[in-house]
Amino acid sequence: MAASLPSPASPPFSLATRNERVGELSSQHFDVLVIGGGITGTGVARDAAMRGLKVALLEAGDLATGTSSASSKLVHGGLRYLEQGNVRLVLESVSERARLMTLAPHLVRPMPFFFPVYRKKPRPLWMVGLGLWIYETLAMFRVPARHRTLRGAAARREFPGLTDDGLDGGVVFWDCATDDARLVLETAISAHEAGAWVLPRMRVEGFLTERGQVTGAHAKDALTGVSHSVSARVVVNATGPWTDRTLGLKRQRARLLRPTKGTHIVLRRDRLPLDATVMLRTDDGFIFAIPTEESVFVGTSDTDYSGDYDRVRATGDEVTSFLEHLNRAFPQADLGPDDVIGSWAGLRPLLTGGDDDTRELPRDHEVVLDDDGLVSVAGGKLTTYRLMAEEVVDRISERLASDGMHIGRSPTGAVRLPGGVGVERRRGELSSMGVQGRALDETIASEFGRDVADHLRRTYGGRWPGIIDRARADERLGLRIDPELPYLWAEVDHAVENELACTIVDVMRRRTQLILRSRDMGANCVADVGARMAQLLGWS
C-alpha cells in the first residue's frame, strides 16, 4: 500500500507565493534547477525535493501548457508496443500503470477498451486474444478485470453501433484514463509541499556557465518583464518537444527528438454513445474514441511536425479525416463538422529513429549528461513519467556524490499524490475512506447533485472537502459555472488560491476542462470566470 507523508508547513501554492519567491531567486543557490513544467519536469522536481535536495523549477508558460495537457489522456500499458516487440517498454508501462492506480486512484481510473477485428485483419481473433494474455501476464494480472473475447454475434450485441460488415468479433480489455493536466498539477503540488520552488511563467533565455560548466540559467518573468539569474549545482533540461531548442541556447546543435503531432477532437456523447473506449485500426495507425461523462474524445494523429511549436492546432483536414473514419466504423452516427464541439493538438517528444513511419518511432526515453554538466531527459511517455524522473535524479545523485553530497533512493513510488490521500476504490467505484467518509459522500451528492459529488472525488480526491467548505460558506460559490457541467464556482477560487492559476485559460483549460467539455468551448461563462478572477487577483 502506498504511504502518505504529512504535508510540511508550506506557503499556499498561489501566485502570491510564486511572486515572492521570484523576487528572491537571485539570492538563492539551488542543488537542482529544472527547466520545464510538464509531467517530466514536475516529476523530477518532486523526486529531487522528496530526497531532500533544494529545488527550483522554471516553466515558460503555465504548468502542463504543452504536451502534458495535449495527450490522449490515457495511462496505459501500451498494447501496440507489444506488437512492435518492445517488451521492456510494456513491462515498464504496465508496472507504472499499476503504481499510479495506487498513488493517484482519483485521477487514474480503470476503463474498458474494445478492439474490434474485421476479416481477420491485421490478425485473427484468436491471435489478438493470445496477445492480451501475454499483455496481462506481463502486468502480473494487476488489472481491474481479465480480457474477454467476443465472437461476432456477441460483439454486435454489446457494440450495436459498430458496423458489422466483416466483423469477426473483438476483445474487451482494461487500461486507464486520466486527466493529464491535473496529474501534472498534483505532481507539482507534491513537489511544492516537499520544498521545491515551482515557478511558472519564467522563460529561460540562456545558461550561466563557469569554467565550462553549466551553473544555472537566465530567466525572464513573463508577468513583469524582469530578468533573473538562478544558480544551481545541476541543471536539468526537461522541456519535452522543446528539448533540442533548449540545448540550442548554449549553441549546441542537437537532434535528440523528432516531434510528431497528435490531434484530438471532442464530440457530445449523445452523438456517439459509448460505454467503453473503442480502438479502431486505420491505415495510419489507431484511433481511440474515449467516452467521458458527457463527451467523447477522439484521436490521435501521428505525423511529423516542423511548424511553430507554440501554435499547434487541429486542421480542417485532420477533423475531416477523423469524421470519415468514425462514420465508416459507426455508420448510423452520421457525424458532421457541426458535431465537433472542440479540439486540441500537441507534440510528442519522440526520440529520433531511422524509420520513416512515425508510428514506429520509439516511445522510449533517454537521459543525456553533457560534458558541461547539463542533464537532458528526452522522449518517454506520460505513463512512465515517475520512473523517468527517478532515473534522472539517480544520475544527479551520482554527480553530487563527487561533491560529497549523498542522497538516498527515490521514495516517490510509495508516496501518494496529494489528492490520493483519503480515497479508495471499492468494486471499481471511487469513494472517501471509512464509513463516515462514504456517508459524507452521500450527503454531498444529495446537496449538490450526484454528478458534482462524482466530479469532485475524481478531480480533487481526498481534498474535495475544501471545495465543499467554500461552496457552503458562500451560496454563490455552490452554483454551477455551466448548467450542463458539474463544475462549481468554488473551484475557480480554489484554483487561484491553491493551484497557482494565473489566467482565465489556466482555469478553464487545465484546472478544469470547461473549454473541452462545454458545448460552446466555455464561451457562455468565460466573461464571468474572468470577472471572478479579477476580484481575486486585483485585475483592472
Side-chain angles (χ1 to χ4, degrees), residues 75 97 100-101 104-110 176-179 183 425:
V75 170
R97 179 190 65 189
L100 287 174
M101 288 172 64
H106 59 307
L107 291 178
V108 180
R109 56 188 176 92
C176 292
T178 192
D179 182 334
L183 189 61
R425 284 199 175 274

Side-chain angles (χ1 to χ4, degrees), residues 25-327:
L25 267 178
S26 297
S27 64
Q28 302 293 313
H29 184 69
F30 296 92
D31 296 318
V32 180
L33 171 61
V34 181
I35 306 172
I39 192 63
T40 306
T42 55
V44 171
R46 177 181 187 243
D47 191 300
M50 290 178 68
R51 295 201 214 187
L53 297 174
K54 185 175 181 179
V55 180
L57 180 149
L58 306 181
E59 158 60 39
D62 182 30
L63 298 167
T65 298
T67 300
S68 295
S69 61
S71 74
S72 295
K73 308 187 189 309
L74 299 176
V75 170
H76 62 106
L79 182 60
R80 66 193 179 102
Y81 309 142
L82 185 62
E83 187 178 46
Q84 296 169 355
N86 195 339
V87 176
R88 182 191 58 78
L89 183 57
V90 175
L91 277 169
E92 288 182 352
S93 299
V94 294
S95 176
E96 286 301 298
R97 179 190 65 189
R99 193 186 304 272
L100 287 174
M101 288 172 64
T102 300
L103 301 183
H106 59 307
L107 291 178
V108 180
R109 56 188 176 92
M111 173 181 284
F113 284 61
F114 179 63
F115 180 32
V117 177
Y118 290 90
R119 298 183 177 89
K120 298 181 173 56
K121 294 180 180 179
R123 289 171 177 78
L125 189 57
W126 71 265
M127 191 175 292
V128 175
L130 177 61
L132 262 299
W133 276 112
I134 297 172
Y135 187 58
E136 291 169 356
T137 300
L138 291 173
M140 294 185 290
F141 297 99
R142 292 175 297 182
V143 290
R146 304 283 178 85
H147 76 275
R148 294 184 294 122
T149 299
L150 303 178
R151 303 295 171 183
R156 293 183 188 97
R157 283 195 302 270
E158 290 204 30
F159 297 91
L162 271 174
T163 180
D164 60 3
D165 183 15
L167 179 65
D168 298 318
V171 180
V172 177
F173 65 100
W174 289 78
D175 252 320
C176 292
T178 192
D179 182 334
D180 49 4
R182 292 205 69 87
L183 189 61
V184 175
L185 177 64
E186 288 219 6
T187 303
I189 291 172
S190 182
H192 167 79
E193 292 180 346
W197 288 24
V198 179
L199 308 174
R201 291 184 167 77
M202 292 292 295
R203 180 176 293 277
V204 171
E205 298 185 327
F207 290 101
L208 297 173
T209 58
E210 184 177 335
R211 298 175 184 174
Q213 295 292 296
V214 172
T215 58
H218 299 288
K220 178 179 286 188
D221 186 344
L223 301 181
T224 64
V226 176
S227 295
H228 302 265
S229 296
V230 189
S231 64
R233 293 174 183 268
V234 181
V235 179
V236 178
N237 170 16
T239 51
W242 290 265
T243 297
D244 290 339
R245 298 189 178 192
T246 303
L247 291 172
L249 294 176
K250 58 175 187 168
R251 296 181 175 84
Q252 177 179 338
R253 295 178 62 84
R255 184 77 193 278
L256 296 177
L257 298 180
R258 180 180 168 183
T260 66
K261 180 184 177 183
T263 300
H264 298 76
I265 62 173
V266 185
L267 307 172
R268 294 294 300 179
R269 190 168 174 177
D270 56 9
R271 294 292 292 119
L272 192 63
L274 298 176
D275 295 321
T277 291
V278 177
M279 188 175 174
L280 301 172
R281 181 180 282 274
T282 72
D283 292 338
D284 300 320
F286 288 102
I287 289 177
F288 294 87
I290 307 165
T292 67
E293 288 69 32
E294 67 292 304
S295 308
V296 177
F297 299 155
V298 180
T300 174
S301 62
D302 199 347
T303 55
D304 281 312
Y305 185 81
S306 58
D308 185 344
Y309 285 17
D310 295 316
R311 297 186 63 81
V312 186
R313 301 287 187 272
T315 67
D317 288 344
E318 289 168 334
V319 173
T320 298
S321 176
F322 282 138
L323 293 176
E324 289 174 350
H325 285 304
L326 290 171
N327 282 327

